[in-house]
Amino acid sequence: DQQVKQNSPSLSVQEGRISILNCDYTNSMFDYFLWYKKYPAEGPTFLISISSIKDKNEDGRFTVFLNKSAKHLSLHIVPSQPGDSAVYFCAASAVNSGAGSYQLTFGKGTKLSVIP
Amino acid sequence: DTGVSQDPRHKITKRGQNVTFRCDPISEHNRLYWYRQTLGQGPEFLTYFQNEAQLEKSRLLSDRFSAERPKGSFSTLEIQRTEQGDSAMYLCASSLVQGSHEQYFGPGTRLTVT
């Protein structure tokens, strides 16, 4: 049972346009959501996050939107640049109250290609 | 460089052999996580340490896997009697003390079991 879903395996966008990456989740206990970017042969790099008490968080060209009622979040990249080409992972966490762990549950990723 | 480091970056081993990986977290981070990533999947949680205490283990962590963090700094992940299904990228991540959800990942160790 996949608790975090990224239904688009790939996305191609023209340089300068907006990239929108989507993510859905099923576990109502998730209270924090993160986006990671991954280049081949490297570990995931933290990009941006949002708490469940917010509906939007912005950091430069990156904005994450959270719709709790729909259990949906999206990452907007404006304007898209060729260096943004990578695999983007959506992740969610819910504090494990017993152990204090904030383990992350990841989606399968979306490969973004920004075309010059 | 003060990021998370992992060693080795690549490991090729024959089925049945034992392997050990090392992770050095960011120095002030007391939380350490191990994840495993296979082709076409996102990383999957294996185990969690707070300082030297291993506080949570995934059901993915079979009895052939063992992890330690003896002094609350670096951590090791050992796989005994490796199987072809163990072939994956093993990722280590660390984070700050209580209240921080952001985890910072190392470059990973790519394990290939032949």
Side-chain angles (χ1 to χ4, degrees):
Chain A
D1 175 30
Q2 206 178 350
Q3 299 184 67
V4 177
K5 299 178 184 179
Q6 294 177 258
N7 292 322
S8 299
S10 62
L11 175 68
S12 290
V13 171
Q14 207 72 31
E15 180 179 2
R17 305 294 293 268
I18 184 172
S19 295
I20 300 176
L21 296 97
N22 294 302
C23 177
D24 297 293
Y25 63 96
T26 58
N27 189 340
S28 300
M29 298 301 291
F30 289 144
D31 59 1
Y32 208 83
F33 303 90
L34 308 91
W35 285 94
Y36 283 83
K37 174 180 178 180
K38 188 178 184 302
Y39 293 116
E42 294 184 11
T45 301
F46 170 70
L47 202 54
I48 192 170
S49 61
I50 188 166
S51 164
S52 60
I53 63 173
K54 296 185 177 180
D55 55 18
K56 177 182 174 182
N57 188 27
E58 191 172 355
D59 183 2
R61 297 186 297 113
F62 302 92
T63 303
V64 56
F65 295 92
L66 175 63
N67 183 333
K68 279 184 65 179
S69 60
K71 294 190 174 69
H72 176 84
L73 63 155
S74 60
L75 174 67
H76 292 210
I77 306 173
V78 183
S80 301
Q81 300 173 353
D84 295 330
S85 297
V87 177
Y88 289 78
F89 289 97
C90 172
S93 74
V95 60
N96 177 315
S97 58
S101 167
Y102 292 108
Q103 64 177 247
L104 298 177
T105 301
F106 285 83
K108 292 186 176 184
T110 296
K111 183 176 182 181
L112 174 66
S113 300
V114 180
I115 305 161
Chain B
D1 185 8
T2 57
V4 178
S5 62
Q6 292 187 246
D7 184 71
R9 294 291 305 274
H10 303 275
K11 178 71 177 178
I12 300 174
T13 191
K14 292 185 177 180
R15 189 174 50 191
Q17 297 295 304
N18 299 345
V19 294
T20 300
F21 311 139
R22 177 181 169 123
C23 169
D24 287 89
I26 295 171
S27 59
E28 63 268 27
H29 288 185
N30 70 340
R31 293 167 177 258
L32 188 146
Y33 301 82
W34 284 97
Y35 291 83
R36 180 174 71 185
Q37 184 178 18
T38 54
L39 199 62
Q41 303 294 318
E44 295 175 290
F45 169 76
L46 290 178
T47 190
Y48 159 68
F49 288 85
Q50 183 169 319
N51 299 313
E52 67 277 5
Q54 187 176 20
L55 297 182
E56 191 173 357
K57 290 194 274 189
S58 161
R59 66 181 187 279
L60 292 176
L61 211 68
S62 77
D63 56 6
R64 295 185 298 105
F65 288 68
S66 62
E68 294 182 339
R69 194 181 182 198
K71 296 182 179 180
S73 56
F74 73 91
S75 175
T76 58
L77 178 68
E78 181 184 15
I79 309 174
Q80 296 183 327
R81 304 180 305 280
T82 52
E83 302 173 354
Q84 287 188 321
D86 296 331
S87 295
M89 174 76 84
Y90 289 84
L91 294 160
C92 175
S94 68
S95 70
L96 281 169
V97 297
Q98 188 164 345
S100 174
H101 291 257
E102 286 84 8
Q103 296 177 23
Y104 297 88
F105 284 81
T109 295
R110 167 74 64 188
L111 173 66
T112 302
V113 182
T114 60

